[in-house]
Amino acid sequence: MHEKPGEGILKVKSILEKYPKERRYLLAILQDIQKTYNYLPREALNEVRDYLGIPLSSLYSMATFYKALSLKPKGRYVIKVCDGTACHIRGSLDIVEEIKKQLSISPGEVTKDGKFSLETVNCLGSCALAPVMVINDKYYGNLKPAMVKDILESTGD
Amino acid sequence: MKVIIDDKEFEAEYGEYILDVARRNGIHIPTLCHSDAVPGQGSCRLCIVEVYERGKNKVVVSCLYPITGEIKVYTNSEKIHRMRRNIIRLLAARAPGSEYIKKLKEEYGIPEETRFKVDEKEKCVLCGLCVKACEKLGSMAISTVNRGATKKVAPPFEEPPVDCIGCTSCAHVCPTGAIEVREYEGKRVIWNRTFELLKCTSCGRYFITREQYEYMKNRHGIDMKELLCDRCRQKSTAEKLVSLYKKLLVKKTLFQCYRLQKD
Ligand code: SF4
Ligand code: FES
Ligand code: FES
């Protein structure tokens, strides 16, 4: 289960303590924070800035560069629909459309109950199974729009 | 060492960049992301030239290509012209709002863009000079944000930047005029942050933000009894020199009188 924001500058401190005060650990620290909170809370970024002594602009630059990091809370289940070349050609956008219809969210958004968030990614390295999507760590290949509803329903807490 | 640029021979030092040698000798190579104050960007590719070195020929960016052997350079061959046109076309599709780019477009006869979707207001070519300048000056208030098609330059959280001191270096170094600065009634606005301006103690002109003043005081330990704008500082230095010179003259004359008396 993910930490709620606010519940925890303490958590950030214990993450930071694991790392020497060197800039090269920045990405690893941000990944840890992302894992703990499911996003990068602003207070946490301020803590990192103070700990490593690097400007907020560098943190923000990195936080917006990597898809694995996000500034908004993600859902408990992150749906990644591949929109790489192979998946695109085999209809990944129809899959996205179907998910949009089922959950009423667009890529980059989270459902109201915080359960799902949706994003598109570039090639998951499983082109033979195109079109592909991953929900947390589970892969679904050879997708058809008609399969989406069942998959979402069977995904539970 | 010798280098031949557009069929003329010039002297260059080992390791000197082609652009510098060309400029020194009045040969024009168009540039966008090159700044003597913040060198080494090499992102716009506008300054490409053709180089013939040891029987081989290649296209390089002149602002970053060091001369280390006998080379022949062509700054405007047919190939370069064609490639540069393409580069300008892409830059123009990216930043059609920039006056400088509009001029280049005209100069190179680039037709209106029909193939790409463009944002008419966009002026930034993402060269990164502003970020580098801000970093060099020590504020590090802005950075590149996102990547790929949505990449841009912005302050953290796209809010008025906390670390900014309102020095406008970013706006000055920007080759396309993409960073807006407004000044009115003793205020300066940049990156959506409003700064209070301080007056020159000599001429009374607003010229510096309070944050810039604090920064200079802390960083460089500048004596702040008087706060002089560039113009007044130059004037005051000149005046000091003149008075020093006068004093010297007086001394010299006195000395000569003394010698005369003695003789
Ligand atoms: S704002 Fe200007 S200096 Fe900064 S990246 Fe864009 S074009 Fe370059
Ligand atoms: S394009 Fe989707 S897995 Fe490669
Ligand atoms: S001026 Fe040389 S790459 Fe931009």
Side-chain angles (χ1 to χ4, degrees):
Chain A
M1 196 67 261
H2 296 292
E3 278 299 311
K4 285 207 189 61
E7 239 176 73
I9 288 310
L10 267 180
K11 285 263 177 188
V12 182
K13 291 232 159 85
S14 69
I15 292 173
L16 290 173
E17 269 161 19
K18 290 192 294 188
Y19 294 95
K21 291 190 178 188
E22 283 171 49
R23 194 188 179 119
R24 61 197 168 111
Y25 296 108
L26 176 56
L27 183 55
I29 293 173
L30 293 185
Q31 279 175 314
D32 281 5
I33 296 175
Q34 175 81 37
K35 223 191 246 149
T36 312
Y37 295 96
N38 211 15
Y39 79 113
L40 304 173
R42 228 171 133 155
E43 308 90 305
L45 288 183
N46 288 339
E47 289 290 316
V48 180
R49 171 195 58 191
D50 296 343
Y51 184 77
L52 294 180
I54 53 179
L56 203 54
S57 60
S58 311
L59 289 175
Y60 190 70
S61 184
M62 188 177 268
T64 54
F65 186 86
Y66 292 104
K67 282 221 169 161
L69 304 174
S70 78
L71 292 160
K72 281 187 284 178
K74 287 192 184 186
R76 296 189 295 281
Y77 295 92
V78 179
I79 310 170
K80 292 181 184 151
V81 181
C82 178
D83 193 27
T85 314
C87 293
H88 186 85
I89 286 171
R90 305 202 62 179
S92 58
L93 290 183
D94 296 337
I95 306 295
V96 174
E97 276 312 310
E98 184 59 27
I99 299 174
K100 270 168 124 175
K101 212 165 84 194
Q102 295 291 333
L103 299 176
S104 329
I105 50 170
S106 295
E109 294 177 353
V110 194
T111 52
K112 280 213 186 69
D113 58 3
K115 183 168 174 187
F116 289 108
S117 58
L118 175 61
E119 49 198 73
T120 57
V121 294
N122 300 325
C123 192
L124 289 161
S126 323
C127 308
L129 298 177
V132 187
M133 72 174 176
V134 198
I135 302 184
N136 286 358
D137 286 327
K138 200 158 174 214
Y139 277 71
Y140 300 89
N142 295 317
L143 281 172
K144 294 200 176 49
M147 297 157 70
V148 167
K149 193 166 181 237
D150 281 349
I151 295 174
L152 294 178
E153 272 166 10
S154 66
T155 304
D157 288 290
Chain B
M1 64 197 335
K2 293 212 180 337
V3 48
I4 298 172
I5 306 180
D6 292 343
D7 294 325
K8 278 193 224 95
E9 202 176 290
F10 301 104
E11 271 303 315
E13 266 170 46
Y14 184 89
E16 228 182 330
Y17 295 134
I18 295 174
L19 179 68
D20 293 330
V21 180
R23 284 201 170 162
R24 189 168 62 234
N25 293 292
I27 296 171
H28 174 70
I29 300 174
T31 62
L32 202 55
C33 72
H34 176 79
S35 150
D36 288 329
V38 198
Q41 212 59 3
S43 58
C44 75
R45 315 318 265 188
L46 194 59
C47 67
I48 48 167
V49 295
E50 226 180 326
V51 164
Y52 289 80
E53 191 163 20
R54 272 181 259 119
K56 280 196 204 125
N57 130 323
K58 56 187 167 187
V59 173
V60 304
V61 283
S62 61
C63 67
L64 283 180
Y65 193 84
I67 301 168
T68 56
E70 289 221 340
I71 57 169
K72 265 193 201 167
V73 179
Y74 291 96
T75 66
N76 210 359
S77 59
E78 210 190 295
K79 184 173 175 185
I80 290 297
H81 193 78
R82 197 181 62 234
M83 289 176 75
R84 199 175 279 148
R85 275 191 58 136
N86 277 333
I87 292 171
I88 295 171
R89 181 174 165 198
L90 292 172
L91 287 168
R94 159 76 207 174
S98 158
E99 287 306 317
Y100 185 76
I101 300 226
K102 274 186 207 154
K103 251 187 244 148
L104 277 173
K105 224 173 121 184
E106 239 165 65
E107 194 184 324
Y108 281 78
I110 315 266
E112 276 319 301
E113 191 54 64
T114 50
R115 186 158 153 205
F116 305 115
K117 222 166 70 194
V118 302
D119 173 358
E120 290 299 338
K121 285 204 282 311
E122 183 60 78
K123 292 181 179 175
C124 171
V125 291
L126 292 172
C127 69
L129 270 181
C130 51
V131 175
K132 262 268 190 72
C134 190
E135 187 183 310
K136 218 174 159 186
L137 283 155
S139 296
M140 296 191 255
I142 51 172
S143 63
T144 53
V145 171
N146 302 333
R147 65 166 162 180
T150 57
K151 182 173 171 180
K152 60 179 165 184
V153 173
F157 302 102
E158 299 186 37
E159 290 170 1
V162 275
D163 295 327
C164 179
I165 57 171
C167 72
T168 69
S169 305
C170 54
H172 276 113
V173 82
C174 175
T176 57
I179 300 172
E180 200 191 328
V181 186
R182 276 182 299 132
E183 279 185 17
Y184 63 93
E185 296 161 15
K187 302 232 157 48
R188 176 183 292 164
V189 184
I190 183 167
W191 293 112
N192 276 327
R193 182 166 163 197
T194 308
F195 293 89
E196 177 201 347
L197 288 173
L198 303 178
K199 282 180 185 166
C200 168
T201 43
S202 170
C203 69
R205 200 166 58 95
Y206 285 118
F207 79 107
I208 193 179
T209 68
R210 178 169 295 284
E211 286 75 2
Q212 260 178 297
Y213 163 81
E214 298 289 341
Y215 179 87
M216 294 200 310
K217 211 165 64 177
N218 297 337
R219 268 254 164 150
H220 308 301
I222 286 176
D223 167 30
M224 283 305 180
K225 260 182 272 137
E226 40 175 23
L227 197 59
L228 295 182
C229 68
D230 274 353
R231 253 186 279 156
C232 292
R233 196 173 33 236
Q234 268 167 21
K235 226 169 82 191
S236 117
T237 332
E239 272 161 14
K240 272 185 201 140
L241 276 178
V242 169
S243 83
L244 189 74
Y245 184 66
K246 274 189 192 146
K247 269 186 215 149
L248 282 175
L249 263 186
V250 174
K251 254 195 199 153
K252 205 171 150 198
T253 338
L254 282 175
F255 183 63
Q256 275 165 355
C257 295
Y258 169 73
R259 290 260 304 254
L260 278 176
Q261 264 179 2
K262 246 178 84 179
D263 294 342

